[in-house]
Amino acid sequence: MDKLKGMLKISERDKKLLLIVAAALIVVLAYFFGYQNLSSQADDLSSRKSKLEVTQRDLKEKNNNKDKYLADTTKLQTENRSALSRFDSGSTQPNTINFFIKTEGVTGVWVKSLALSPTTSIYRFGQVASSNVNGGSAYSSNMSGYKSTINIAYESDYSQWKHFIDYINTYSNKTTIDALTSSYNDATGIVTGTVSISLYAVEGSDRKFTEPTFDVKTGTDNIFSENAAN
């Protein structure tokens, strides 16, 4: 028993060595479970600080130019309303047909045939990159731009033909002549040809559109009846 106690007895030198080992173990554990976590938090805080500094500089620059931005905003809003006013607010087929009814009535050109193409979406508003350093869209909008293309065959005298072209090019709503053919008969003074015309519209937001209506006689149930309307 005394021999066993002698074997279990720890010298002062061994005690000091054990204390050193325990201290080293505590340091190692503190590093793995403490320092690394603190280091990760420090990196995250440093990244957030850098982003906030960028945002702060951007906001200071904007605040320094606030009056200019407000003036520019007012000017651009006015220009935007003016530009949108040039575009129709609807692109339905009845609206397209109504355009040519007015065109015939004003210019005197006879539209011999008319072919309508499906309306296509050509532009979506709100797809603008933002100058915000934190990203995000510049603004949101449900407005979209549309184009309706029509092909017609026409007949008119020369003065009516010129009026027809001028009427389309200066129409109150955005309209373009995409292709034009013409043939002039010197003996009769008649111009015949074909023309491809595109009508543009911007729909959405608070832009109101009223579908045109027509008061057209449709005849009787039997087109061969003597009482059929002309």
Side-chain angles (χ1 to χ4, degrees), residues 1-10:
M1 192 67 170
D2 293 336
K3 185 177 181 181
L4 180 60
K5 289 182 178 179
M7 293 176 62
L8 295 175
K9 188 177 181 180
I10 301 175

Side-chain angles (χ1 to χ4, degrees), residues 154-158 160 183-192:
Y154 66 88
E155 181 178 307
S156 67
D157 63 33
Y158 184 69
Q160 291 171 335
S183 177
Y184 179 69
N185 187 319
D186 192 52
T188 62
I190 297 298
V191 181
T192 58

Side-chain angles (χ1 to χ4, degrees), residues 41-158:
Q41 291 181 13
D43 290 342
D44 181 58
L45 290 173
S46 177
S47 176
R48 290 173 58 187
K49 177 176 176 291
S50 297
K51 290 180 180 180
L52 289 173
E53 287 175 343
V54 172
T55 301
Q56 183 187 40
R57 287 194 297 269
D58 179 65
L59 292 175
K60 281 185 175 180
E61 187 274 333
K62 285 180 169 62
N63 187 62
N64 291 337
N65 294 279
K66 181 177 68 173
D67 292 339
K68 178 181 182 300
Y69 292 147
L70 290 173
D72 288 346
T73 298
T74 300
K75 177 184 175 183
L76 291 173
Q77 286 175 337
T78 301
E79 292 178 352
N80 178 65
R81 286 192 293 269
S82 176
L84 283 178
S85 68
R86 287 295 319 280
F87 292 84
D88 206 342
S89 56
S91 55
T92 62
Q93 286 193 350
N95 194 50
T96 302
I97 294 171
N98 187 55
F99 164 76
F100 277 101
I101 291 176
K102 291 189 294 184
T103 301
E104 278 190 316
V106 172
T107 66
V109 169
W110 174 34
V111 177
K112 298 165 63 177
S113 65
L114 171 66
L116 305 178
S117 299
T119 299
T120 57
S121 175
I122 58 174
Y123 185 77
R124 288 186 61 84
F125 288 75
Q127 311 301 307
V128 179
S130 173
S131 62
N132 190 333
V133 294
N134 294 317
S137 299
Y139 71 101
S140 60
S141 173
N142 65 347
M143 291 196 302
S144 295
Y146 295 92
K147 180 176 77 170
S148 302
T149 301
I150 312 99
N151 296 290
I152 71 169
Y154 66 88
E155 181 178 307
S156 67
D157 63 33
Y158 184 69

